[in-house]
Amino acid sequence: MEKIRCGWCEKDDLYRKYHDEEWGRPVYDDETIFEFLILESFQAGLSWYTILSKRENFRKAFDYFDYKKMAVYSDMKIEELMNNAGIIRNRLKIKAAVTNAQKFMEVQAEFGSFSQYIWGFIDGTPIDNKPMALSEVPATTEISDAISKDLKKRGFKFVGSTVIYAHMQATGMINDQ
């Protein structure tokens, strides 16, 4: 039996695998939520395919998204990342990843986990939109606006509403399949 997939993922096997095994599946562990937060922030202005194709490079370069390590990256580490051709070499985004790791831990300290914080915006229950066409999928919603605004207030960077909506899709807070 052939799988029913969203049209956007038919580009190649990498996209299909991501769609079939990860996208839209609820994620509650802080480590995966953080990984997607960083990857989505690097996507800003780029295609998800670009990020997905460099995902393993990002994992290696950023200590497998260990936010405790990332939070204390030195200027030397930032320069090392700037010279890594396997990732997106945008200084602002790299510095934002360090800041976001620091802020991520602050949210954990306040809420017990980042998962509790972010899932609290939707009472812990995924939103199932059931779009009939890609044109019905918004780039932002009132909820992504609220999360973005709160994250920015807490000092997070590269977390605009579009980035947050994509993060919500990736982590299964919103199911747009």
Side-chain angles (χ1 to χ4, degrees), residues 63-97:
D63 292 298
Y64 294 88
F65 299 106
D66 181 333
Y67 45 84
K68 292 174 185 168
K69 288 181 180 178
M70 289 175 62
V72 294
Y73 277 179
S74 66
D75 289 341
M76 186 183 307
K77 177 64 176 184
I78 290 170
E79 288 308 313
E80 176 187 314
L81 292 166
M82 284 296 298
N83 291 314
N84 186 332
I87 65 168
I88 304 302
R89 295 178 290 180
N90 177 307
R91 187 174 302 279
L92 292 176
K93 289 180 180 182
I94 290 170
K95 286 185 167 190

Side-chain angles (χ1 to χ4, degrees), residues 17 30 33 124 139:
K17 182 175 176 13
D30 277 3
I33 290 171

Side-chain angles (χ1 to χ4, degrees), residues 8 18-19 21-27 36 119 126-127 166-177:
W8 62 262
Y18 172 69
H19 177 275
E21 298 176 10
E22 293 183 83
W23 191 71
R25 292 210 163 82
V27 174
F36 277 117
W119 279 91
I127 298 167
H167 183 265
M168 294 172 73
Q169 290 174 310
T171 59
M173 292 176 70
I174 292 177
N175 182 1
D176 279 334
Q177 294 208 38

Side-chain angles (χ1 to χ4, degrees), residues 118-123 125 127 129 140-150 161 164-165 168 173-174:
I118 201 156
W119 279 91
F121 283 90
I122 59 170
D123 296 324
T125 305
I127 298 167
N129 285 336
T140 65
T141 62
E142 288 181 17
I143 297 168
S144 67
D145 292 347
I147 295 171
S148 172
K149 183 178 178 181
D150 194 68
S161 189
I164 295 305
Y165 191 80
M168 294 172 73
M173 292 176 70
I174 292 177

